[in-house]
mmCIF file of all heavy atoms in Angstrom:
data_model
loop_
_atom_site.group_PDB
_atom_site.id
_atom_site.type_symbol
_atom_site.label_atom_id
_atom_site.label_comp_id
_atom_site.label_asym_id
_atom_site.label_seq_id
_atom_site.Cartn_x
_atom_site.Cartn_y
_atom_site.Cartn_z
ATOM 1 N N GLY B 374 20.778 -19.370 82.561
ATOM 2 C CA GLY B 374 19.388 -18.990 82.309
ATOM 3 C C GLY B 374 18.903 -17.920 83.250
ATOM 4 O O GLY B 374 19.674 -17.320 84.009
ATOM 5 N N THR B 375 17.604 -17.680 83.186
ATOM 6 C CA THR B 375 16.958 -16.682 84.038
ATOM 7 C C THR B 375 15.738 -17.307 84.694
ATOM 8 O O THR B 375 15.070 -18.159 84.095
ATOM 9 C CB THR B 375 16.526 -15.443 83.235
ATOM 10 O OG1 THR B 375 15.648 -15.840 82.167
ATOM 11 C CG2 THR B 375 17.734 -14.723 82.654
ATOM 12 N N LEU B 376 15.426 -16.852 85.906
ATOM 13 C CA LEU B 376 14.285 -17.358 86.671
ATOM 14 C C LEU B 376 13.355 -16.209 86.990
ATOM 15 O O LEU B 376 13.800 -15.122 87.369
ATOM 16 C CB LEU B 376 14.756 -18.021 87.971
ATOM 17 C CG LEU B 376 13.659 -18.627 88.852
ATOM 18 C CD1 LEU B 376 13.092 -19.880 88.193
ATOM 19 C CD2 LEU B 376 14.196 -18.956 90.236
ATOM 20 N N ARG B 377 12.037 -16.456 86.829
ATOM 21 C CA ARG B 377 11.026 -15.434 87.130
ATOM 22 C C ARG B 377 9.929 -16.068 87.960
ATOM 23 O O ARG B 377 9.408 -17.130 87.607
ATOM 24 C CB ARG B 377 10.436 -14.858 85.852
ATOM 25 C CG ARG B 377 9.385 -13.785 86.095
ATOM 26 C CD ARG B 377 8.696 -13.393 84.809
ATOM 27 N NE ARG B 377 7.648 -12.412 85.018
ATOM 28 C CZ ARG B 377 6.688 -12.120 84.149
ATOM 29 N NH1 ARG B 377 6.651 -12.761 82.991
ATOM 30 N NH2 ARG B 377 5.782 -11.219 84.414
ATOM 31 N N THR B 378 9.591 -15.428 89.071
ATOM 32 C CA THR B 378 8.493 -15.882 89.920
ATOM 33 C C THR B 378 7.488 -14.754 90.053
ATOM 34 O O THR B 378 7.860 -13.595 90.171
ATOM 35 C CB THR B 378 9.002 -16.284 91.315
ATOM 36 O OG1 THR B 378 9.650 -15.154 91.922
ATOM 37 C CG2 THR B 378 9.992 -17.428 91.210
ATOM 38 N N ARG B 379 6.181 -15.107 90.048
ATOM 39 C CA ARG B 379 5.148 -14.074 90.069
ATOM 40 C C ARG B 379 3.825 -14.690 90.506
ATOM 41 O O ARG B 379 3.600 -15.894 90.295
ATOM 42 C CB ARG B 379 4.982 -13.449 88.681
ATOM 43 C CG ARG B 379 4.437 -14.422 87.663
ATOM 44 C CD ARG B 379 4.565 -13.912 86.238
ATOM 45 N NE ARG B 379 3.915 -14.808 85.295
ATOM 46 C CZ ARG B 379 4.430 -15.925 84.837
ATOM 47 N NH1 ARG B 379 5.623 -16.315 85.261
ATOM 48 N NH2 ARG B 379 3.777 -16.685 83.980
ATOM 49 N N PRO B 380 2.920 -13.870 91.100
ATOM 50 C CA PRO B 380 1.540 -14.338 91.332
ATOM 51 C C PRO B 380 0.824 -14.510 90.000
ATOM 52 O O PRO B 380 1.082 -13.787 89.044
ATOM 53 C CB PRO B 380 0.926 -13.207 92.170
ATOM 54 C CG PRO B 380 2.079 -12.429 92.701
ATOM 55 C CD PRO B 380 3.176 -12.562 91.685
ATOM 56 N N ALA B 381 -0.108 -15.475 89.945
ATOM 57 C CA ALA B 381 -0.830 -15.749 88.697
ATOM 58 C C ALA B 381 -2.224 -16.241 89.022
ATOM 59 O O ALA B 381 -2.404 -17.380 89.468
ATOM 60 C CB ALA B 381 -0.087 -16.781 87.848
ATOM 61 N N ASP B 382 -3.238 -15.352 88.824
ATOM 62 C CA ASP B 382 -4.655 -15.720 88.984
ATOM 63 C C ASP B 382 -4.934 -16.368 90.329
ATOM 64 O O ASP B 382 -5.572 -17.420 90.422
ATOM 65 C CB ASP B 382 -5.086 -16.663 87.853
ATOM 66 C CG ASP B 382 -4.985 -16.008 86.490
ATOM 67 O OD1 ASP B 382 -5.149 -14.768 86.436
ATOM 68 O OD2 ASP B 382 -4.753 -16.712 85.501
ATOM 69 N N GLY B 383 -4.444 -15.754 91.378
ATOM 70 C CA GLY B 383 -4.670 -16.274 92.716
ATOM 71 C C GLY B 383 -3.679 -17.332 93.153
ATOM 72 O O GLY B 383 -3.642 -17.682 94.323
ATOM 73 N N GLY B 384 -2.889 -17.858 92.231
ATOM 74 C CA GLY B 384 -1.889 -18.856 92.571
ATOM 75 C C GLY B 384 -0.487 -18.293 92.419
ATOM 76 O O GLY B 384 -0.233 -17.128 92.734
ATOM 77 N N PHE B 385 0.412 -19.132 91.900
ATOM 78 C CA PHE B 385 1.805 -18.710 91.778
ATOM 79 C C PHE B 385 2.413 -19.412 90.567
ATOM 80 O O PHE B 385 2.032 -20.537 90.225
ATOM 81 C CB PHE B 385 2.581 -19.080 93.048
ATOM 82 C CG PHE B 385 3.849 -18.287 93.237
ATOM 83 C CD1 PHE B 385 3.799 -16.970 93.640
ATOM 84 C CD2 PHE B 385 5.092 -18.854 92.982
ATOM 85 C CE1 PHE B 385 4.958 -16.235 93.810
ATOM 86 C CE2 PHE B 385 6.253 -18.128 93.148
ATOM 87 C CZ PHE B 385 6.177 -16.820 93.562
ATOM 88 N N ALA B 386 3.330 -18.728 89.907
ATOM 89 C CA ALA B 386 3.974 -19.268 88.714
ATOM 90 C C ALA B 386 5.483 -19.111 88.825
ATOM 91 O O ALA B 386 5.976 -18.075 89.275
ATOM 92 C CB ALA B 386 3.461 -18.571 87.452
ATOM 93 N N VAL B 387 6.187 -20.138 88.422
ATOM 94 C CA VAL B 387 7.655 -20.133 88.367
ATOM 95 C C VAL B 387 8.056 -20.458 86.930
ATOM 96 O O VAL B 387 7.633 -21.483 86.388
ATOM 97 C CB VAL B 387 8.264 -21.162 89.336
ATOM 98 C CG1 VAL B 387 9.784 -21.174 89.212
ATOM 99 C CG2 VAL B 387 7.848 -20.849 90.765
ATOM 100 N N THR B 388 8.827 -19.569 86.318
ATOM 101 C CA THR B 388 9.235 -19.755 84.922
ATOM 102 C C THR B 388 10.745 -19.630 84.832
ATOM 103 O O THR B 388 11.326 -18.660 85.322
ATOM 104 C CB THR B 388 8.568 -18.715 84.005
ATOM 105 O OG1 THR B 388 7.154 -18.840 84.101
ATOM 106 C CG2 THR B 388 8.998 -18.927 82.553
ATOM 107 N N ALA B 389 11.365 -20.630 84.205
ATOM 108 C CA ALA B 389 12.814 -20.621 83.981
ATOM 109 C C ALA B 389 13.071 -20.750 82.491
ATOM 110 O O ALA B 389 12.471 -21.598 81.821
ATOM 111 C CB ALA B 389 13.493 -21.759 84.737
ATOM 112 N N ARG B 390 13.947 -19.899 81.990
ATOM 113 C CA ARG B 390 14.394 -19.981 80.603
ATOM 114 C C ARG B 390 15.861 -20.383 80.613
ATOM 115 O O ARG B 390 16.707 -19.671 81.182
ATOM 116 C CB ARG B 390 14.191 -18.650 79.884
ATOM 117 C CG ARG B 390 12.743 -18.175 79.879
ATOM 118 C CD ARG B 390 12.566 -16.931 79.032
ATOM 119 N NE ARG B 390 12.740 -17.218 77.625
ATOM 120 C CZ ARG B 390 11.767 -17.635 76.812
ATOM 121 N NH1 ARG B 390 10.545 -17.795 77.298
ATOM 122 N NH2 ARG B 390 12.008 -17.859 75.543
ATOM 123 N N LEU B 391 16.150 -21.534 80.003
ATOM 124 C CA LEU B 391 17.474 -22.136 80.091
ATOM 125 C C LEU B 391 18.057 -22.317 78.688
ATOM 126 O O LEU B 391 17.318 -22.607 77.735
ATOM 127 C CB LEU B 391 17.389 -23.497 80.789
ATOM 128 C CG LEU B 391 16.860 -23.452 82.233
ATOM 129 C CD1 LEU B 391 16.409 -24.836 82.662
ATOM 130 C CD2 LEU B 391 17.942 -22.925 83.158
ATOM 131 N N PRO B 392 19.369 -22.156 78.537
ATOM 132 C CA PRO B 392 19.978 -22.277 77.213
ATOM 133 C C PRO B 392 20.049 -23.736 76.761
ATOM 134 O O PRO B 392 20.209 -24.649 77.568
ATOM 135 C CB PRO B 392 21.375 -21.686 77.418
ATOM 136 C CG PRO B 392 21.666 -21.922 78.867
ATOM 137 C CD PRO B 392 20.353 -21.794 79.572
ATOM 138 N N LEU B 393 19.919 -23.939 75.448
ATOM 139 C CA LEU B 393 20.029 -25.280 74.886
ATOM 140 C C LEU B 393 21.476 -25.706 74.682
ATOM 141 O O LEU B 393 21.746 -26.884 74.449
ATOM 142 C CB LEU B 393 19.285 -25.344 73.542
ATOM 143 C CG LEU B 393 17.766 -25.124 73.604
ATOM 144 C CD1 LEU B 393 17.164 -25.189 72.203
ATOM 145 C CD2 LEU B 393 17.111 -26.162 74.501
ATOM 146 N N THR B 394 22.373 -24.749 74.736
ATOM 147 C CA THR B 394 23.795 -25.051 74.592
ATOM 148 C C THR B 394 24.533 -24.557 75.819
ATOM 149 O O THR B 394 24.135 -23.557 76.430
ATOM 150 C CB THR B 394 24.381 -24.375 73.341
ATOM 151 O OG1 THR B 394 24.141 -22.963 73.409
ATOM 152 C CG2 THR B 394 23.727 -24.937 72.095
ATOM 153 N N PRO B 395 25.615 -25.197 76.216
ATOM 154 C CA PRO B 395 26.362 -24.729 77.393
ATOM 155 C C PRO B 395 26.879 -23.321 77.168
ATOM 156 O O PRO B 395 27.289 -22.945 76.072
ATOM 157 C CB PRO B 395 27.512 -25.738 77.505
ATOM 158 C CG PRO B 395 27.055 -26.928 76.733
ATOM 159 C CD PRO B 395 26.190 -26.413 75.632
ATOM 160 N N GLY B 396 26.799 -22.506 78.200
ATOM 161 C CA GLY B 396 27.275 -21.135 78.091
ATOM 162 C C GLY B 396 27.676 -20.603 79.438
ATOM 163 O O GLY B 396 27.634 -21.298 80.458
ATOM 164 N N ALA B 397 28.072 -19.343 79.426
ATOM 165 C CA ALA B 397 28.503 -18.695 80.664
ATOM 166 C C ALA B 397 27.305 -18.431 81.551
ATOM 167 O O ALA B 397 26.172 -18.290 81.092
ATOM 168 C CB ALA B 397 29.224 -17.387 80.342
ATOM 169 N N ALA B 398 27.560 -18.348 82.834
ATOM 170 C CA ALA B 398 26.492 -18.072 83.787
ATOM 171 C C ALA B 398 25.962 -16.674 83.570
ATOM 172 O O ALA B 398 26.681 -15.754 83.213
ATOM 173 C CB ALA B 398 27.014 -18.233 85.219
ATOM 174 N N ALA B 399 24.642 -16.556 83.800
ATOM 175 C CA ALA B 399 24.014 -15.243 83.648
ATOM 176 C C ALA B 399 24.463 -14.321 84.772
ATOM 177 O O ALA B 399 24.881 -14.747 85.847
ATOM 178 C CB ALA B 399 22.496 -15.386 83.661
#
Side-chain angles (χ1 to χ4, degrees):
T375 57
L376 182 71
R377 180 188 177 196
T378 59
R379 66 193 186 280
D382 297 330
F385 200 74
V387 178
T388 301
R390 302 186 69 87
L391 299 162
L393 296 179
T394 56

